[in-house]
C-alpha cells in the first residue's frame, strides 16, 4: 500500500470523486453541476437548484412542478417530534435542537431501502420539507408559543419566513432569502459534507447522515462563523474602532471571523453576491451601521492579510442580510443547514452509487510494550 504524507486537516487530499460542485479558489469561481452560482442566484430557485444538485440535471417544467408539489405537501412535522422539541431547553442552541430533531425523524422511517430510487426520493423530499419547519418550530416554542402550521399556498422560502414570524413576508425579502439558500446549498468537500459522506458510507439512514452533518456545521470554524461575525461587528461598534480591533486580533494571532478559507485565496464569490443582496435590503428597509463597519473591515483586512489570500468568506455578509430580515443571530447557522441539506443529500446519493466505507489510516505516535501497572502501585 502506498504510504502518503500526513496532512493535518487532510488539506489537499481528495476524499471522493464528485461531479456535484466545483471551486476554483484562485479565480473565485463556484459551479453547481457546471453552472456558475451567479447565474443560478439570478435565474433559479432554491428547490430547482436542489433538484439540479441531487439528480444531476436541471428539471423540466413538469419535473420541477412535481418536486415542488411533493415538498410543499410534506412540510408538516409529526406531533411526536413537535412534543419532543417542546421539551428541549429554551436556552439550548437551535443547531443542537435541529440535530436532535433530524436524528429523531429516523425513528419514524427506520426501513433502509438504499437502492430503491423511490426511497431516496421520499427521503430527500421529507428532509427538505421538514427541516425548515423544525427550525421555525423551535424558534416559536422556545418563546413559549405553539409552532405555526406551514402554509401550502406559499413557496419554500416565503413559507419558512412565514412560519418564523407568523406573518407573510415581504416579496423582496422572500426572494433574497431564497437566493441566500442557493448560495449556501453546496460547497465541495467541506467539513460537514465530509461528515455526511463518512456517515453515508456506513449505509445508515439519511436522517443520521443529515444529523451528523448538522453537528459538524455548527462549529465556529465552519457554519457557526456567521453568528460570530455579527457578535464581532457589534463589539467593534463604530467604523473608527475597526483598525485597532483588527490590529489587536492579529497581535494575539486570533482568527478574524468571516475571513479566510481553505480553498479560496480571493474573495469568496458567494460573499460578493451576498453583499449585493445586503445592499438591496438596505435600500428598501433602511441602512445598517454594521454594514459600514463591515466595509471598513474588509478594507483593513485586505491591507493586512491579502498577501496570505485572506478575504471575506460566505459568512461575512450573510449575517447582515439575515439580521436585516429580523432573524435572530443564533438562527443563522440553522438557516445555513436548511440550504446545505440539499448538498448533503446530493453527496449521500453520490456516495451510495459507488460506496466504499471510509476507513482511513493514522500515524501512530504513541508508546509500545508498556507493562500494565496494578492500580495500587500507580
Ligand atoms: N484571520 C486571520 N488570519 C487568518 C484567518 C483569519 N480569519 N484565516 C487564516 N488566517 C491566517 C492564519 O493565521 C495562517 O497564518 P500563518 O500562515 O502566518 O500562520 C494562514 O492564514 C493560514 O491559516 P489556516 O488556519 O492554516 O487556514 P485553514 O485553511 O486551516 O483555515 C479557516 C481556514 C478555518 C476558514 C480559517 O480561515 C478561519 O478560521 N477563518 C475564520 C472562521 C471562518 O470565517 N470560518 C468560516 C469559513 S467558510 C465556511 O465554513 C462556511
Amino acid at each position: 500500500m502506498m504510504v502518503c504524507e500526513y496532512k493535518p486537516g487532510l488539506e489537499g487530499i481528495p476524499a471522493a470523486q464528485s461531479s456535484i460542485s466545483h471551486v476554483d479558489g484562485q479565480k473565485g469561481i463556484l459551479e453547481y453541476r457546471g453552472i456558475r452560482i451567479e447565474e443560478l442566484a439570478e435565474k433559479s430557485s432554491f428547490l430547482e437548484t436542489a433538484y439540479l444538485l441531487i439528480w444531476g440535471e436541471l428539471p423540466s417544467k413538469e419535473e420541477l412542478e412535481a418536486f415542488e408539489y411533493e415538498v410543499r405537501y410534506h412540510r408538516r412535522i409529526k406531533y411526536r417530534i413537535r412534543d419532543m422539541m417542546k421539551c428541549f431547553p429554551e436556552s439550548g442552541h437551535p443547531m443542537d435542537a435541529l440535530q436532535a430533531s433530524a436524528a429523531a425523524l429516523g425513528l419514524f422511517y427506520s426501513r433502509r431501502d438504499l437502492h430503491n430510487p423511490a426511497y431516496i426520493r421520499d427521503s430527500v423530499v421529507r428532509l427538505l420539507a421538514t427541516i425548515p419547519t423544525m427550525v421555525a418550530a423551535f424558534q416559536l416554542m422556545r418563546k413559549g408559543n405553539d409552532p405555526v402550521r406551514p402554509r401550502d399556498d406559499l413557496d419554500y422560502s416565503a413559507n419558512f419566513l412565514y412560519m418564523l414570524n407568523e406573518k407573510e413576508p415581504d416579496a423582496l425579502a422572500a426572494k433574497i432569502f431564497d437566493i441566500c439558500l442557493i448560495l449556501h446549498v453546496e460547497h465541495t468537500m467541506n467539513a460537514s459534507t465530509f461528515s455526511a459522506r463518512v456517515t453515508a458510507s456506513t449505509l445508515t439512514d439519511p436522517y443520521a447522515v443529515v444529523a451528523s452533518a448538522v453537528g459538524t456545521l455548527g462549529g465556529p470554524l465552519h457554519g457557526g462563523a456567521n453568528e460570530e461575525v455579527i457578535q464581532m461587528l457589534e463589539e467593534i461598534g463604530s467604523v473608527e474602532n475597526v483598525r485597532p480591533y483588527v490590529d489587536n486580533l492579529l497581535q494575539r494571532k486570533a482568527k478574524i471571523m468571516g475571513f479566510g478559507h481553505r480553498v479560496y485565496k480571493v474573495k469568496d464569490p458567494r460573499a460578493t453576491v451576498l453583499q449585493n443582496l445586503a445592499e438591496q435590503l438596505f435600500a428598501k428597509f433602511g441602512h445598517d451601521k454594521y454594514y459600514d463597519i463591515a466595509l471598513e473591515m474588509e478594507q483593513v483586512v485586505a491591507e493586512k492579510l491579502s498577501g496570505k489570500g485572506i478575504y471575506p468568506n460566505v459568512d461575512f455578509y450573510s449575517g447582515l442580510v439575515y439580521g436585516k430580515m429580523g432573524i435572530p443571530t443564533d438562527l443563522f447557522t440553522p438557516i445555513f443547514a436548511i440550504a446545505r441539506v440539499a448538498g448533503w443529500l446530493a453527496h449521500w446519493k453520490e456516495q451510495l452509487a459507488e460506496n466504499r466505507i471510509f476507513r482511513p489510516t493514522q500515524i501512530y505516535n504513541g508508546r509500545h510494550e508498556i507493562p500494565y501497572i496494578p492500580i495500587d502501585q500507580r
Side-chain angles (χ1 to χ4, degrees):
M1 193 178 80
M2 195 176 69
V3 179
C4 302
E5 186 195 347
Y6 164 58
K7 294 274 192 141
L10 300 183
E11 180 167 5
I13 301 193
Q17 296 198 57
S18 180
S19 59
I20 300 170
S21 65
H22 171 71
V23 173
D24 183 328
Q26 300 298 331
K27 295 192 183 134
I29 292 173
L30 170 58
E31 295 169 328
Y32 300 156
R33 299 283 186 189
I35 305 178
R36 291 276 284 262
I37 51 143
E38 291 83 355
E39 198 170 0
L40 290 163
E42 189 191 331
K43 299 175 184 163
S44 186
S45 66
F46 170 67
L47 280 185
E48 184 184 56
T49 302
Y51 188 105
L52 166 73
L53 288 166
I54 295 166
W55 281 285
E57 300 288 344
L58 283 169
S60 67
K61 191 168 177 294
E62 293 72 29
E63 285 168 335
L64 180 60
E65 279 171 7
F67 183 53
E68 285 174 342
Y69 181 89
E70 282 173 62
V71 172
R72 193 178 289 259
Y73 290 102
H74 283 87
R75 287 171 178 166
R76 286 187 201 142
I77 49 174
K78 291 186 181 296
Y79 77 86
R80 284 170 195 257
I81 297 257
R82 186 200 59 205
D83 289 354
M84 176 193 78
M85 293 177 81
K86 267 188 186 158
C87 302
F88 292 168
E90 308 88 68
S91 56
H93 196 285
M95 276 301 267
D96 295 327
L98 180 60
Q99 188 185 23
S101 312
L105 259 189
L107 290 164
F108 296 91
Y109 308 100
S110 51
R111 187 176 58 95
R112 279 171 223 172
D113 200 356
L114 298 174
H115 297 293
N116 180 348
Y119 173 85
I120 292 185
R121 185 169 175 116
D122 286 353
S123 310
V124 164
V125 165
R126 188 171 298 118
L127 279 157
L128 283 174
T130 54
I131 293 282
T133 313
M134 290 172 178
V135 173
F138 182 66
Q139 168 61 9
L140 291 192
M141 289 192 287
R142 70 176 168 165
K143 291 194 291 185
N145 300 328
D146 269 328
V148 168
R149 274 168 87 95
R151 281 245 318 253
D152 295 344
D153 59 321
L154 295 176
D155 70 19
Y156 194 80
S157 291
N159 172 61
F160 172 69
L161 293 173
Y162 163 74
M163 291 189 296
L164 203 59
N165 299 315
E166 299 183 79
K167 69 171 199 274
E168 227 176 285
D170 171 85
L172 177 70
K175 175 69 193 154
I176 286 181
F177 187 85
D178 202 65
I179 298 173
C180 289
L181 295 185
I182 294 176
L183 296 173
H184 285 86
V185 63
E186 158 65 9
H187 205 248
T188 71
M189 198 52 64
N190 54 81
S192 57
T193 300
F194 182 48
S195 196
R197 283 192 85 126
V198 171
T199 310
S201 79
T202 68
L203 302 185
T204 185
D205 63 73
Y207 310 99
V209 169
V210 166
S212 145
V214 169
T216 310
L217 184 68
L221 295 187
H222 193 10
N226 53 16
E227 259 187 56
E228 305 219 0
V229 168
I230 294 299
Q231 282 154 13
M232 175 181 75
L233 295 176
E234 285 171 359
E235 208 177 302
I236 295 173
S238 72
V239 172
E240 299 71 53
N241 289 343
V242 169
R243 197 169 284 274
Y245 187 92
V246 170
D247 284 341
N248 181 276
L249 283 180
L250 294 181
Q251 253 167 21
R252 290 190 287 117
K253 296 200 178 307
K255 291 281 172 63
I256 306 165
M257 289 294 135
F259 285 86
H261 199 279
R262 175 66 60 82
V263 186
Y264 292 116
K265 299 304 162 204
V266 294
K267 187 169 175 177
D268 186 328
R270 300 167 296 176
T272 307
V273 180
L274 282 161
Q275 185 174 1
N276 180 277
L277 298 178
E279 286 176 2
Q280 287 182 43
L281 277 176
F282 301 149
K284 180 156 185 186
F285 300 108
H287 193 66
D288 187 332
K289 77 165 185 173
Y290 294 114
Y291 184 54
D292 298 330
I293 299 174
L295 287 179
E296 174 73 3
M297 200 146 185
E298 185 172 345
Q299 205 174 321
V300 172
V301 174
E303 237 175 68
K304 297 181 184 280
L305 293 177
S306 59
K308 287 187 187 173
I310 309 289
Y311 290 95
N313 59 45
V314 67
D315 287 327
F316 192 57
Y317 287 109
S318 62
L320 287 170
V321 172
Y322 299 144
K324 198 69 200 168
M325 290 179 183
I327 296 174
T329 312
D330 63 359
L331 289 190
F332 296 173
T333 319
I335 288 169
F336 192 155
I338 289 176
R340 191 53 68 84
V341 164
W344 295 328
L345 290 170
H347 281 272
W348 169 59
K349 193 165 164 287
E350 189 174 69
Q351 182 66 35
L352 290 182
E354 233 169 289
N355 190 51
R356 187 146 195 240
I357 189 168
F358 276 91
R359 191 4 178 141
T361 186
Q362 62 170 14
I363 295 170
Y364 178 68
N365 61 5
R367 300 178 295 168
H368 292 283
E369 305 290 343
I370 304 294
Y372 176 81
I373 302 169
I375 196 155
D376 55 349
Q377 293 170 30
R378 282 177 222 157

